[in-house]
């Protein structure tokens, strides 16, 4: 069975997100660990987490993906920005251990005129500071579109970060279909070729989650504007080939499409489940 869900608001807590997932036909979900602009996270509610675990066991929710605020920048030049990134990631990873064995995704960072090499070393230094040997959470580097000075829009850059991290067994990759297409990888006409490249450079064993989004822009545009499935340049058929590919179909898939409400996601999930079933 396809493991698929979407980005949900975390404001009602874990149990509320799990119930909303089931309501919309999902069996996983993604959420922001705190307000995407940063700020403090709500205190951990242990009763909510206990009820959440029971509910997930009963409803077949086996993995969830926490997304770090997108304002973190592990490749920043300003030491205050680096400090904020470090304390936020540390706190997020501590809180993640209340729901052990899940995934924590972050945008590697933007080197802001310092150059890609410097960005890579700053990001790996950050990971070396925040990862701990006993954590059960896998930290995912998201593949980026290459907008501005973003690091991580090529498989080589992601590999270079992983190579410099001591506890690299705690690291994986979340591939975003909009971002890789914008980054210039031809997932529309040569998905097999892209996966071969990924395997040769990073290793498919590192690929732990997929963001499935269509793109408002053509391949290689480096823009990062998500579209609903079938309403962008990637197209519905190419997305269905992703979720049914024998090397990918076991992964959890997350929609981050510009739906106006969760009923929109419900329809998108139903369409993808039906297509995957028929494929
Ligand atoms: Fe993201
Ligand atoms: Fe994404
Ligand atoms: Zn994006």
């Amino acid at each position: 069975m396809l493991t698929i869900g979407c980005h949900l608001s975390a404001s009602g807590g874990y149990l509320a997100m799990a119930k909303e997932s089931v309501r919309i036909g999902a069996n996983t979900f993604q959420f922001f660990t705190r307000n995407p602009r940063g700020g403090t996270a709500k205190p951990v509610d242990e009763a909510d987490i206990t009820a959440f675990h029971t509910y997930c066991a009963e409803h077949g929710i086996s993995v969830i993906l926490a997304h770090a605020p997108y304002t973190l920048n592990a490749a920043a030049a300003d030491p205050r920005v680096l400090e904020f990134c470090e304390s936020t990631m540390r706190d997020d990873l501590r809180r993640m251990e209340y729901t052990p064995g899940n995934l924590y995704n972050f945008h590697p960072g933007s080197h802001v005129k310092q150059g890609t090499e410097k960005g890579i070393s700053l990001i790996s230094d950050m990971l070396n500071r925040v990862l701990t040997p006993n954590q059960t959470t896998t930290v995912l580097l998201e593949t980026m579109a290459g907008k501005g000075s973003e690091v991580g829009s090529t498989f080589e850059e992601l590999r270079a970060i992983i190579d410099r991290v001591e506890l690299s067994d705690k690291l994986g990759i979340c591939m975003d279909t909009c971002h890789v297409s914008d980054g210039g990888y031809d997932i529309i006409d040569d998905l097999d070729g892209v996966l071969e490249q990924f395997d040769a450079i990073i290793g498919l064993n590192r690929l732990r989650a997929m963001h499935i989004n269509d793109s408002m822009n053509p391949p290689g545009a480096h823009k990062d504007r998500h579209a609903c499935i079938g309403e962008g340049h990637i197209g519905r058929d190419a997305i269905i080939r992703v979720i049914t590919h024998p090397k990918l179909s076991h992964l959890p898939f997350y929609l981050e499409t510009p739906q106006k409400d969760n009923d929109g996601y419900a329809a998108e999930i139903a369409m993808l489940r039906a297509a995957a079933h028929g494929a």
Side-chain angles (χ1 to χ4, degrees):
M1 172 144 133
L2 201 58
T3 303
I4 187 168
C6 65
H7 189 91
L8 293 178
S9 159
S11 61
Y14 284 93
L15 179 62
M17 290 189 282
K19 285 184 170 173
E20 181 64 359
S21 295
V22 169
R23 186 187 76 78
I24 63 175
N27 50 353
T28 185
F29 59 89
Q30 173 179 271
F31 62 102
F32 283 125
T33 53
R34 61 193 70 219
N35 184 304
R37 295 250 143 243
T40 43
K42 286 196 306 186
V44 175
D45 176 349
E46 296 200 41
D48 178 45
I49 287 178
T50 304
F52 166 74
H53 281 132
T54 306
Y55 187 87
C56 286
E58 287 167 0
H59 291 83
I61 295 175
S62 55
V63 64
I64 58 171
L65 175 58
H67 196 306
Y70 50 71
T71 44
L72 298 189
N73 187 6
D78 183 340
R80 282 164 306 178
V81 176
L82 292 176
E83 246 165 67
F84 175 69
C85 179
E86 181 174 341
S87 61
T88 301
M89 288 181 94
R90 237 189 250 293
D91 186 51
D92 281 351
L93 288 173
R94 181 189 62 79
R95 298 157 60 86
M96 289 287 295
E97 291 302 317
Y98 285 89
T99 54
N102 285 302
L103 307 168
Y104 178 69
N105 175 64
F106 79 110
H107 296 180
S110 294
H111 65 69
V112 282
K113 294 186 188 144
Q114 302 178 95
T116 304
E117 262 311 299
K118 177 74 177 171
I120 288 167
S121 83
L122 284 167
I123 296 160
S124 45
D125 288 351
M126 181 65 68
L127 288 166
N128 281 326
R129 292 199 294 277
V130 301
L131 297 179
T132 56
N134 296 327
Q135 71 177 65
T136 64
T137 302
T138 301
V139 174
L140 307 183
L141 297 149
E142 182 167 354
T143 61
M144 300 314 292
K147 170 168 52 81
S149 66
E150 274 174 358
V151 180
S153 65
T154 69
F155 299 160
E156 286 82 358
E157 289 172 14
L158 295 165
R159 173 63 200 254
I161 296 167
I162 294 169
D163 277 345
R164 294 182 200 198
V165 174
E166 231 170 287
L167 298 173
S168 63
D169 59 313
K170 308 293 182 191
L171 293 180
I173 301 286
C174 174
M175 186 188 283
D176 185 309
T177 54
C178 168
H179 299 178
V180 284
S181 176
D182 276 26
Y185 291 98
D186 186 2
I187 57 164
I188 304 167
D189 292 316
D190 188 23
L191 179 60
D192 283 321
V194 174
L195 295 179
E196 271 163 37
Q197 248 182 298
F198 187 97
D199 198 28
I201 297 164
I202 301 177
L204 274 171
N205 60 319
R206 292 270 184 198
L207 187 55
R208 301 293 303 278
M210 299 278 308
H211 285 164
I212 45 169
N213 303 302
D214 212 323
S215 176
M216 286 188 189
N217 294 288
H222 302 293
K223 286 272 173 41
D224 190 4
R225 300 279 313 279
H226 300 188
C228 293
I229 306 301
E231 294 175 16
H233 282 78
I234 298 174
R236 177 182 175 276
D237 292 351
I239 295 289
I240 289 161
R241 287 194 293 274
V242 167
I243 64 175
T244 57
H245 194 286
K247 288 179 177 164
L248 304 177
S249 58
H250 64 286
L251 294 169
F253 298 101
Y254 301 90
L255 291 159
E256 304 173 306
T257 52
Q259 293 290 347
K260 39 176 208 312
D261 55 31
N262 291 346
D263 290 338
Y265 281 125
E268 223 167 19
I269 290 167
M271 182 274 284
L272 290 170
R273 281 200 191 281
H277 198 72

